Amino acid sequence: MDNAILNLYKKCRLCPRKCLVDRTAGNTGFCGAQEQITIASHMAHRFEEPAISGNRGSGAIFFSYCTGRCCYCQNFSYSRGQRGQKTSIEKLADIMLRLQEKQCHNINLVSPTHYVPSIISAIDMARRKNLRIPILYNSSGYESAETIDLLKGYVDIYMPDLKYSNDALAKEHCGFIEYSRHNIAALKKMNEQVGNLIIDKNGIALKGLLIRHLILPGQIENTKRSLELIAENLGTDTHISLMSQYSPTPNVKSDPGLGRRISIIEYQKAQTYMMKMGFKNGWTQNFFKK
């Protein structure tokens, strides 16, 4: 794909908000990002799911800014653009190649939605220089189906969240508008492109869809309905990462709902419901005590 794709920044509609601002002119929409890529960090990340990190790490590239405003965000300085360095498309391609040289199992694009045109151009450049490891798209799941269409042939592994089945919660906690509708439509597109997760004989993911769901305190019904949505729309063969790692950040420490970790009872209920629904593929986490 040639650089004409960069024209998408001129009337930005990359995420479901469709702000329609001209980012090439320095204007910003909800996410706060201009056209030029800003990268907060990149590394061999060893704390993703076992099939993603493996024994050599996932080549994580954390992008600054975000299409959400999650009040409990663990990477607040990244998502609000408080941390990061302006980077060219050429530099992004070089970072991908360096992570491959470090023998990372994949290139893990973290919160990439608002930079998709630049990412596509960088992948093209890197592949011309022999980038060959899988590209992993790691997002909040708040995606435009049209943007996911652009990524066909570029992304090997999709690792989106299904954060919410409850749109009111999604708006209250993260500022997402009509999260569930956009999320499910995008997940279906991802599944059409790459199918169920394929894991090689060494336990490393090669291609496919892995959906993450973070259990929130006091919101077990949101978790149950989220699992139901996956079953209804994608089937129970889908790989799921059911995460118990929620930890209140300083922003929500005093919040009566979000100011605590989940309880062991909530954790067990989520696991039990996942098994009851017939899900057998994926991962759960050890329970994080207070």
Side-chain angles (χ1 to χ4, degrees):
M1 190 175 291
D2 60 35
N3 284 340
I5 194 170
L6 299 177
N7 288 329
L8 292 174
Y9 288 128
K10 290 185 176 179
K11 204 172 184 181
C12 190
R13 46 189 298 123
L14 291 170
C15 87
R17 297 181 191 281
K18 295 180 170 53
C19 294
L20 301 179
V21 297
D22 185 356
R23 289 168 59 187
T24 68
N27 299 317
T28 59
F30 184 92
C31 70
Q34 296 181 3
E35 176 186 16
Q36 188 175 7
I37 309 159
T38 305
I39 294 178
S41 180
H42 56 87
M43 68 189 77
H45 188 23
R46 300 182 184 276
F47 300 102
E48 303 283 30
E49 286 72 8
I52 304 302
S53 286
N55 59 358
R56 300 196 302 268
S58 174
I61 303 172
F62 292 85
F63 294 95
S64 300
Y65 302 102
C66 186
T67 60
R69 287 290 184 276
C70 298
C71 58
Y72 51 81
C73 180
Q74 299 294 312
N75 293 321
F76 186 89
S77 63
Y78 295 5
S79 64
R80 301 302 193 271
Q82 295 172 359
R83 177 176 171 183
Q85 192 166 43
K86 295 287 187 183
T87 307
S88 67
I89 291 171
E90 293 79 6
K91 175 77 171 186
L92 175 57
D94 287 342
I95 290 170
M96 293 178 182
L97 291 165
R98 289 206 303 274
L99 290 168
Q100 178 174 264
E101 288 171 4
K102 290 182 179 180
Q103 298 188 313
C104 293
H105 295 290
N106 48 65
I107 300 298
N108 183 351
L109 306 168
V110 185
S111 298
T113 309
H114 45 295
Y115 291 124
V116 160
S118 301
I119 288 168
I120 286 174
S121 296
I123 292 171
D124 279 336
M125 287 182 187
R127 284 178 173 171
R128 287 195 290 268
K129 296 180 180 179
N130 202 32
L131 179 70
R132 59 189 182 278
I133 58 176
I135 302 294
L136 186 155
Y137 190 87
N138 179 349
S139 88
S140 68
Y142 190 57
E143 302 285 350
S144 161
E146 293 79 10
T147 296
I148 300 304
D149 279 337
L150 294 173
L151 292 164
K152 186 175 182 179
Y154 287 92
V155 171
D156 302 286
I157 302 166
Y158 283 104
M159 192 165 67
D161 294 332
L162 194 164
K163 290 181 179 292
Y164 296 100
S165 57
N166 183 319
D167 282 351
L169 274 181
K171 185 176 181 181
E172 177 187 349
H173 291 172
C174 299
F176 292 132
I177 307 299
E178 296 186 320
Y179 178 86
S180 188
R181 176 171 69 86
H182 292 295
N183 178 251
I184 291 299
L187 266 54
K188 285 182 174 180
K189 285 277 186 183
M190 294 173 186
N191 191 56
E192 288 171 9
Q193 287 181 19
V194 297
N196 288 337
L197 196 67
I198 297 171
I199 299 174
D200 71 12
K201 63 182 181 180
N202 298 313
I204 303 301
L206 301 176
K207 184 178 181 179
L209 175 65
L210 165 59
I211 300 174
R212 286 172 157 175
H213 175 76
L214 179 66
I215 306 164
L216 296 172
Q219 299 298 338
I220 194 65
E221 292 305 316
N222 177 63
T223 291
K224 288 181 177 180
R225 181 57 187 148
S226 295
L227 292 169
E228 290 168 3
L229 284 172
I230 296 170
E232 291 165 8
N233 290 279
L234 299 163
T236 54
D237 288 337
T238 304
H239 282 70
I240 296 175
S241 178
L242 189 65
M243 300 188 295
S244 63
Q245 69 190 46
Y246 175 83
S247 180
T249 61
N251 285 343
V252 295
K253 275 286 188 181
S254 61
D255 186 283
L258 294 171
R260 64 171 177 87
R261 291 185 182 271
I262 67 169
S263 69
I264 186 67
I265 294 173
E266 288 170 321
Y267 177 67
Q268 290 171 339
K269 282 182 178 180
Q271 284 189 306
T272 298
Y273 200 74
M274 184 177 174
M275 289 186 286
K276 179 182 176 182
M277 291 293 298
F279 290 103
K280 297 177 182 177
N281 296 322
W283 296 269
T284 56
Q285 290 181 322
N286 293 328
F287 179 68
F288 284 71
K289 293 182 180 180
K290 292 183 180 180

